[in-house]
Amino acid sequence: MTTILGIESSCDETAAAVVVDGRTILSNVIATQIDLHARYGGVFPELASRAHVEAISAVVDQAVADSGIPYAKMDAIAVTRGPGLVGSLLVGVNYAKGLALATGKPLLGINHLEGHVYSLWLSEPRREIQFPVLVLIVSGGHTELLLMTNHGEYQRLGGTLDDAAGEAFDKVGRMLGLPFPGGPNIERAAQMGNATAYKFPRSKRDESYDFSFSGLKTAVMREVTIPQGTDGKKRGPEKNPKVRSDVSVNDVAASFQDALVGALVEKTVRAAKENNVTEILLAGGVSANSALRQRLRAESALPVRYPPLNLCTDNGAMIAAAGHFRFEAGLRSDLDMDVQPMWPLTSDAYEKQG
Ligand code: KG4
Ligand code: ZN
């Protein structure tokens, strides 16, 4: 039995959790900064780092106290090492190093994307996952289609060439004047809208497994906003748009979501067929989207697994779960490990970075 403390601070959530055997959550504490960043319409890196510094020790102490397991009985401390905002990553990594030093416990530097993958091991602990599986990670910073052939073994099939799926949700949300983050607010508006009201392009319908969402974003912008300068005021295209009064926000939200989800589902289903996988795993913040979940289930002949809502967005439990499999494989990180703000998830990179 392994008991791992997981720490996450790569973006705008300070989070910590204690997980047993990579599957059972004993505690899961998350301090979100959403309110702090909402007024800027996006994550403000300097404010994020400062908020992590203020929250981290209370969050980690709370996770350990809630678990009922003292530091002395933990097997290792897992922490997100990248990818993410450098200042935010540094807070978590330095805190984890301090703890590892003080407690004498091994340190495990975890790839944040691998954390999202392992959120699936926490969702239905009793139904074993049989490799190979197809993984679609859709978050605010990433859109990655991976073939996972074993624990820690990934082959990248494709990903976004421009905006991440969550980033597109957030940008369109801002265009429509919806609160940050755009994803959940667009989903809510879409439920009251007509998805066929607008015909937005579903780009990159080609043989690759890559995605592109900037054309879709621009199409939405053209449709809904008053072009710059025509009302005599200067404004940036995304920062301060003005929605035309004849536009239905709910219909635009529904039509946009439909186009984006359609593109994700089409390539994911094809990749699953072409790679003979046993099931499809969906992870990351955008996997909370019910239209995406439903459409993938409807269009795929294979089982589709996604995390419970509280494990879709960033959390410490997924880092602890990923840490468990790394720990079991005998991998350890050095106390002098550095953060990796741009760290792709490949088996290769994972091994070499130590
Ligand atoms: O995984 P996550 O918490 O952070 C990153 O690693 O980026 O993902 C955050 C992203 C945001 O872009 C947010 O708008 C999106 O996930 N998101 C959603 C939903 N809930 C969160 N997007 C679409 N529908 C949702 N229900
Ligand atoms: Zn994330």
Side-chain angles (χ1 to χ4, degrees), residues 10-13 112 116 138-142 165-167 169-170 181-184 187 257 284-290 312-314:
S10 67
C11 189
D12 59 346
E13 331 272 2
H112 180 80
H116 278 300
V138 270
S139 71
H142 299 272
E167 190 180 356
F169 267 105
D170 294 341
E187 175 170 5
Q257 180 177 270
V286 183
S287 69
N289 188 279
S290 53
C312 289
T313 45
D314 295 347

Side-chain angles (χ1 to χ4, degrees), residues 14 16 29 31 52-65 71 95:
T14 321
V29 179
H52 284 305
V53 170
E54 283 164 9
I56 195 146
S57 107
V59 166
V60 174
D61 283 351
Q62 186 70 48
V64 173
Y71 280 110
Y95 195 83

Side-chain angles (χ1 to χ4, degrees), residues 190 193-200 250-259:
N194 171 7
T196 59
Y198 295 87
K199 284 270 160 290
F200 292 129
N250 293 346
D251 287 352
V252 172
S255 306
F256 159 76
Q257 180 177 270
D258 192 65

Side-chain angles (χ1 to χ4, degrees), residues 118-275:
Y118 278 93
S119 64
L120 273 311
W121 268 256
L122 297 163
S123 55
E124 293 170 79
R126 274 170 293 277
R127 193 158 69 84
E128 265 308 319
I129 293 174
Q130 302 292 331
F131 296 110
V133 290
L134 184 78
V135 189
L136 175 67
I137 305 176
V138 270
S139 71
H142 299 272
T143 303
E144 298 279 306
L145 202 47
L146 306 166
L147 182 64
M148 185 176 186
T149 46
N150 207 335
H151 289 295
E153 283 179 24
Y154 310 94
Q155 190 186 318
R156 186 177 191 272
L157 300 176
T160 184
L161 302 177
D162 39 58
D163 290 349
E167 190 180 356
F169 267 105
D170 294 341
K171 285 177 177 170
V172 169
R174 200 156 43 189
M175 276 178 217
L176 294 175
L178 296 171
F180 172 81
N185 290 302
I186 287 190
E187 175 170 5
R188 228 165 282 136
Q191 277 156 3
M192 298 176 287
N194 171 7
T196 59
Y198 295 87
K199 284 270 160 290
F200 292 129
R202 207 197 277 181
S203 53
K204 282 215 66 67
R205 306 189 80 166
D206 59 8
E207 290 308 298
S208 78
Y209 293 129
D210 289 326
F211 305 98
S212 164
F213 299 120
S214 71
L216 170 60
K217 181 188 66 186
T218 309
V220 175
M221 192 175 71
R222 281 217 198 91
E223 192 67 53
V224 309
T225 60
I226 297 173
Q228 188 158 344
T230 52
D231 64 349
K233 292 191 195 111
K234 255 203 135 7
R235 59 172 68 91
E238 282 159 25
K239 290 212 170 58
N240 191 19
K242 192 166 178 203
V243 179
R244 286 192 350 235
S245 56
D246 60 333
V247 157
S248 155
V249 168
N250 293 346
D251 287 352
V252 172
S255 306
F256 159 76
Q257 180 177 270
D258 192 65
L260 187 141
V261 164
L264 288 174
V265 169
E266 185 176 311
K267 292 208 171 174
T268 304
V269 169
R270 180 160 60 79
K273 266 196 212 131
E274 290 175 1
N275 289 281

